[in-house]
């Protein structure tokens, strides 16, 4: 009997709180920032280069070398309903690193030296994404958006170390799957052209690498990971055209 009374009382309380919650209106609305039926196309481009000449920092000594990173990403999208669109991205990424000399010295008995090292890699990515827009107040010029992405990447890399008879080469084939959440800011210059800036926040990745060492020995590596952080090195700037 007591159990039945408790259940009835609990149901009455839940019903009362639910009806009160339905009566309460926070007044939160999402104005139409991106109308239904809108097509968008655009792209992002990033390039970074560094040169080291006898560079020293903390435990690092005699660092000589150079590196660069280049990435280009065209994309398109269609808004199938107000403030929501679906689209695709295609990316090409190339990185190069060359170390003539690199020395880490902790004390007189502990040190690490690397020299005559060179690596180059290129990756191709195909990405499907769902985008949700959020207007900033009543503004039609500035808005926020969030991309939920599913990406597959394929690429190759080559690592060469040593010189002459001590020359060694490693060749890699890379397959990668990524799931990520990318928030961004959209600012319209006019009715059809907008500037965009975005940064990676949440990501889950799975990566497999198959290796061939000097075209004789083989090996493989499989990694996976997840992160929830703002990666400042992943900031991307782009220009989009809406029609």
């Amino acid at each position: 009997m007591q159990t039945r009374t408790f259940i009835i009382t609990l149901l009455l309380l839940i019903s009362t709180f639910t009806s009160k919650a339905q009566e309460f209106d926070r007044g939160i609305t999402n104005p139409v920032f991106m109308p239904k039926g809108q097509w968008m196309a655009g792209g992002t481009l990033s390039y970074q280069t560094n040169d080291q000449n006898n560079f020293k920092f903390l435990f690092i000594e005699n660092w000589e070398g150079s590196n660069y990173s280049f990435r280009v990403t065209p994309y398109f999208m269609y808004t199938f309903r107000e403030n929501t669109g679906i689209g695709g991205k295609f990316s090409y990424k190339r990185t190069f690193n060359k170390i003539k000399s690199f020395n880490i010295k902790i004390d007189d008995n502990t040190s690490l030296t690397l020299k005559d090292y060179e690596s180059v890699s290129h990756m191709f990515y195909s990405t499907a994404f769902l985008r949700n827009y959020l207007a900033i107040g009543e503004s039609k010029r500035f808005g926020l958006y969030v991309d939920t992405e599913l990406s597959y990447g394929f690429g190759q890399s080559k690592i060469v170390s040593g010189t002459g008879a001590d020359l060694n080469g490693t060749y890699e084939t890379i397959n990668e799957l990524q799931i990520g959440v990318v928030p961004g800011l959209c600012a319209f210059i006019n009715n059809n052209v907008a500037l965009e800036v975005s940064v990676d926040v949440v990501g889950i990745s799975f990566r497999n690498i198959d290796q061939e060492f000097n075209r004789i020995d083989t090996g493989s590596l499989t990694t996976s990971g997840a992160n929830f952080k703002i990666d400042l090195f992943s900031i991307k700037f782009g220009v989009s055209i809406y029609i």
Side-chain angles (χ1 to χ4, degrees):
M1 185 66 181
Q2 293 179 351
T3 303
R4 182 182 301 175
T5 304
F6 174 77
I7 294 174
I8 293 174
T9 304
L10 182 61
L11 290 175
L12 289 173
L13 289 174
I14 294 174
S15 177
T16 302
F17 288 140
T18 302
S19 62
K20 292 295 183 181
Q22 291 175 349
E23 294 175 1
F24 182 74
D25 184 8
R26 296 181 181 274
I28 298 176
T29 60
N30 187 16
V32 178
F33 180 77
M34 193 61 58
K36 177 182 177 181
Q38 193 89 39
W39 282 97
M40 180 267 285
T44 62
L45 176 67
S46 63
Y47 178 76
Q48 183 179 3
T49 181
N50 293 285
D51 291 291
Q52 300 84 28
N53 184 14
N54 196 26
F55 181 75
K56 297 181 180 181
F57 180 74
L58 296 178
F59 302 112
I60 300 175
E61 297 181 354
N62 304 322
W63 185 4
E64 294 189 13
S66 61
N67 62 77
Y68 70 80
S69 177
F70 168 80
R71 182 165 185 162
V72 58
T73 305
Y75 54 81
F76 68 93
M77 185 195 69
Y78 175 75
T79 54
F80 60 92
R81 68 182 184 190
E82 293 179 350
N83 295 334
T84 306
I86 189 170
K89 301 180 183 180
F90 305 94
S91 301
Y92 172 74
K93 181 180 180 181
R94 183 179 179 88
T95 58
F96 172 80
N97 292 281
K98 184 175 183 179
I99 298 176
K100 295 180 181 179
S101 64
F102 181 84
N103 184 37
I104 298 178
K105 186 176 181 180
I106 300 176
D107 54 42
D108 293 336
N109 299 319
T110 306
S111 64
L112 174 65
T113 300
L114 178 65
K115 63 179 181 178
D116 299 323
Y117 171 91
E118 184 177 308
S119 69
V120 60
S121 67
H122 59 91
M123 293 286 299
F124 298 89
Y125 292 94
S126 297
T127 304
F129 68 92
L130 177 69
R131 175 172 292 189
N132 296 101
Y133 286 93
L134 177 64
I136 300 178
E138 298 296 330
S139 175
K140 300 295 183 181
R141 184 177 296 272
F142 299 98
L144 304 174
Y145 66 86
V146 176
D147 287 347
T148 303
E149 300 181 344
L150 175 62
S151 177
Y152 168 73
F154 172 81
Q156 295 176 320
S157 68
K158 180 178 68 174
I159 303 171
V160 179
S161 61
T163 58
D166 296 326
L167 183 66
N168 295 305
T170 302
Y171 301 87
E172 297 180 337
T173 301
I174 305 168
N175 288 276
E176 187 172 1
L177 181 65
Q178 297 178 340
I179 302 172
V181 176
V182 183
L185 172 67
C186 179
F188 277 87
I189 300 175
N190 55 38
N191 288 332
N192 301 103
V193 180
L195 299 178
E196 296 183 356
V197 58
S198 62
V199 60
D200 296 341
V201 174
V202 179
I204 301 174
S205 63
F206 305 90
R207 197 176 206 197
N208 176 259
I209 301 175
D210 293 320
Q211 290 184 331
E212 288 187 8
F213 181 72
N214 287 343
R215 298 296 189 182
I216 299 176
D217 297 324
T218 61
S220 64
L221 172 68
T222 300
T223 62
S224 62
N227 66 74
F228 182 82
K229 63 180 181 180
I230 298 177
D231 185 1
L232 296 179
F233 294 100
S234 69
I235 294 178
K236 297 181 284 290
F237 296 90
V239 178
S240 300
I241 299 175
Y242 291 81
I243 57 176

